Amino acid sequence: MKKQWIALAVTALVASSAFAQANDTLAKIKASGSVTLGVRESSGLSYTLGNGKYVGFHTEMGERILLDVQKQLGLAKLETKYQPVTSQNRIPLVSNGTVDLECGSTTNNAGRQKDAAFAVTTYVEEVRIATKANSGIASIKDLNGKTVAVTTGTTSVQHLRKHERAGGIEFKEVFGKDHADSFLMLETGRADVFVMDASILAGNISKSKAPADYKIVGEVLSVEPIACMLRKDDPGFKKAVDDSIKRQIADGSLAKLYDKWFMQPIPPTNTTIGLPLSDATKAAWANPNDKPMEDYVKK
């Protein structure tokens, strides 16, 4: 009987240790010597060049965060694994431990904070409308009877419907599996507009075959704080991530990184997105916080 109790105690201790590590990302990283960064394949902040190569403002910022984590843990080497995520699976993959840190283009809102934690805001996004330059569409009022492309799992079309100028406007929605698919619908004429974050619209336009054929138009539909996402109830890892971001803001390296990815020619086509650092993003950096969109809009 005594041996059985000892065996049960050992089993419980092992299970408790495994549970603790699952909720302690720093311990998990130190024990494994590896970390998984969630990235996007066609976002304005994170995208792929193919062959497993991921780049962009948020991707490189995430890599710098993980370098700081490596230093904090005293690791001589840290293997970074890249896991592409979509709008639909990004939260589940963070929650179940597949992804340790997701630095894509995720809006921090109250609903998502029930399932995940967010680092301090690193980009403030404006949701806009992209269309063909010759479409004649210049505003929400021009969308009546039109087809609107939106990416599955995003909130953009909700903001369009809720906008004060959308009253009485009827439009058809078509859903892309990711941002590249949604832009393709606009490119091939299956949609009249693509409603999404301005950085994503600008990024897809800059990489298109004929960037001059497109324009971003109309009212700002929403202002949203974008942040890296991590598992809930992991204060040690969240502090490490936030501290790294605050350092990058304070020493000016984050501003230089923004200039690199938004104001200079970028791969794969060597085109420039051309989105200057906005006053809203500057304000977020001046007062780092992880407030959700609902509180952010009230400020």
Side-chain angles (χ1 to χ4, degrees), residues 271-291:
T271 53
T272 301
I273 292 177
L275 278 181
L277 189 62
S278 69
D279 289 341
T281 298
K282 290 177 183 177
W285 291 1
N287 179 32
N289 67 84
D290 59 2
K291 292 180 179 179

Side-chain angles (χ1 to χ4, degrees), residues 61-196:
M61 184 191 73
E63 291 168 340
R64 292 181 178 187
I65 290 170
L66 296 178
L67 280 174
D68 283 347
V69 168
Q70 178 183 349
K71 292 175 185 177
Q72 178 180 330
L73 295 176
L75 295 174
K77 183 181 178 182
L78 178 62
E79 178 189 6
T80 299
K81 301 175 182 178
Y82 296 85
Q83 174 63 53
V85 302
T86 66
S87 300
Q88 303 99 300
N89 68 19
R90 55 190 168 185
I91 294 176
L93 289 179
V94 168
S95 298
N96 69 19
T98 302
V99 169
D100 298 309
L101 180 67
E102 186 266 348
C103 291
S105 55
T106 303
T107 299
N108 176 3
N109 63 35
R112 288 170 177 163
Q113 283 200 0
K114 295 176 183 178
D115 300 308
F118 287 85
V120 295
T121 297
T122 42
Y123 183 81
V124 180
E125 188 63 88
E126 293 180 342
V127 176
R128 301 286 301 279
I129 298 168
T131 186
K132 293 278 183 70
N134 61 0
S135 69
I137 296 172
S139 176
I140 293 173
K141 64 179 177 59
D142 300 320
L143 298 182
N144 203 39
K146 303 296 185 181
T147 300
V148 176
V150 63
T151 304
T152 301
T154 63
T155 58
S156 300
V157 80
Q158 298 171 24
H159 299 309
L160 174 58
R161 290 197 178 281
K162 291 178 181 177
H163 197 280
E164 60 183 359
R165 297 189 185 182
I169 303 295
E170 296 293 334
F171 55 83
K172 176 186 175 183
E173 296 170 35
V174 290
F175 296 91
K177 68 180 188 304
D178 55 27
H179 301 315
D181 191 37
S182 297
F183 186 79
L184 183 62
M185 291 180 179
L186 171 62
E187 195 170 34
T188 57
R190 287 175 288 164
D192 299 293
V193 300
F194 175 23
V195 177
M196 188 46 59

Side-chain angles (χ1 to χ4, degrees), residues 25-91:
T25 305
L26 291 176
K28 175 186 173 185
I29 293 171
K30 189 165 187 176
S32 66
S34 68
V35 62
T36 301
L37 180 65
V39 292
R40 298 300 295 265
E41 295 192 312
S42 60
S43 162
L45 301 174
S46 171
Y47 63 96
T48 183
L49 296 177
N51 298 318
K53 177 67 175 176
Y54 296 91
V55 297
F57 172 63
H58 253 195
T59 299
E60 190 167 345
M61 184 191 73
E63 291 168 340
R64 292 181 178 187
I65 290 170
L66 296 178
L67 280 174
D68 283 347
V69 168
Q70 178 183 349
K71 292 175 185 177
Q72 178 180 330
L73 295 176
L75 295 174
K77 183 181 178 182
L78 178 62
E79 178 189 6
T80 299
K81 301 175 182 178
Y82 296 85
Q83 174 63 53
V85 302
T86 66
S87 300
Q88 303 99 300
N89 68 19
R90 55 190 168 185
I91 294 176

Side-chain angles (χ1 to χ4, degrees), residues 57 60-61 64 122-123 244-264 275-278 281-282 285-286:
F57 172 63
E60 190 167 345
M61 184 191 73
R64 292 181 178 187
T122 42
Y123 183 81
S244 174
I245 293 169
K246 291 174 183 177
R247 174 197 63 75
Q248 294 181 55
I249 292 171
D251 66 15
S253 60
L254 195 60
K256 291 178 182 177
L257 192 63
Y258 185 95
D259 182 78
K260 171 184 175 179
W261 287 103
F262 286 96
M263 302 305 295
Q264 306 300 324
L275 278 181
L277 189 62
S278 69
T281 298
K282 290 177 183 177
W285 291 1

